[in-house]
Amino acid sequence: MAKRKKPVIGISADSNQGREHDLVDYKGDTVLWLKKSYTDAVEKSGATPVILPIVKAKGTIDAYLSLIDGIILSGGHFDIDPKLFGEKPLPQCGPLKPDRTLMEIALFKKARKMGMPILGICGGMQAINVGLGGTLFQHIPAQVPNALKHEQKPKPTKPSHNVILAKGSILKRIAGKDTLKVNSTHHQSVKDLGRGLTACARAKDGVIEALEPVDDKDSFIVGVQWHPEQLFDSDPFSRKLFKRFVASCGKYLDSDK
Ligand code: MN
């Protein structure tokens, strides 16, 4: 088999669970889907995107990991099941997709052990946190006093609030500055950080907007609460973030792990 020259990046798919969509032809069917901005950002950054369907079998997750050189845990129309961090759902809790979340957590844990680069975006960052024993605010407006508006309407194609980057963080090194303007389309956020994680960006209201492991400095593991893929064409930092991620995936590929 010809060795691949470009890194292949697996992006976790979202699903509608057969309920929340208006695609007449698919009504009642469970459909896997993903905003094209994810695959476009990966391709424009010099890697090959593939979408990873939601599966249960450990063997299939292992097979995914043998086919890819990096992972994007994507966002989507779902909330992480509060059961996974020991809470009952608040009334504002959105659709839960436990099969998806469990697969993403399994994928993340195994990929991390392998040293594979991982980028968690929005719900993907929250999955990383919960996978490492962290907790979430289930609904920011009800649980964070004086919170900014984190649910940007109608579309997060432009930045809406600032984040302050932590000293020494990978994001600050990539950005080369202290503050970034980001988009925001989330009603949940990280409450208690998972084991070994540190907040590397916060909004002015204290909401954690990005995380990375305290250690593991050799590998690329970053979670961002915002959507760099939606800002890719307009925002130089978003392009730099994807470029750096893809470069790490390229190194992983070359390392023959
Ligand atoms: Mn936000």
Side-chain angles (χ1 to χ4, degrees), residues 40-95:
D40 284 349
V42 166
E43 198 188 8
K44 286 177 185 172
S45 303
T48 304
V50 295
I51 299 173
L52 305 178
I54 299 165
V55 294
K56 272 195 177 145
K58 195 177 156 291
T60 312
I61 290 172
D62 289 344
Y64 284 169
L65 290 164
S66 70
L67 296 169
I68 60 177
D69 311 299
I71 293 178
I72 293 177
L73 299 178
S74 66
H77 186 52
F78 68 100
D79 283 350
I80 304 265
D81 189 346
K83 230 193 303 177
L84 295 173
F85 50 93
E87 290 186 12
K88 286 194 176 134
L90 293 182
Q92 300 93 339
C93 200

Side-chain angles (χ1 to χ4, degrees), residues 210-239:
L211 52 76
E212 65 182 61
V214 179
D215 300 319
D216 282 12
K217 291 294 177 200
D218 296 340
S219 56
F220 184 105
I221 300 176
V222 174
V224 292
Q225 185 57 75
W226 66 91
H227 285 274
E229 80 287 358
Q230 300 248 14
L231 299 176
F232 190 89
D233 290 330
S234 60
D235 171 47
F237 171 78
S238 298
R239 291 194 290 276

Side-chain angles (χ1 to χ4, degrees), residues 95-112:
L96 305 178
K97 299 176 180 172
D99 288 355
R100 169 181 179 169
T101 301
L102 291 174
M103 179 189 102
E104 288 182 308
I105 289 175
L107 201 57
F108 164 73
K109 286 186 172 172
K110 197 132 204 194
R112 185 184 188 191

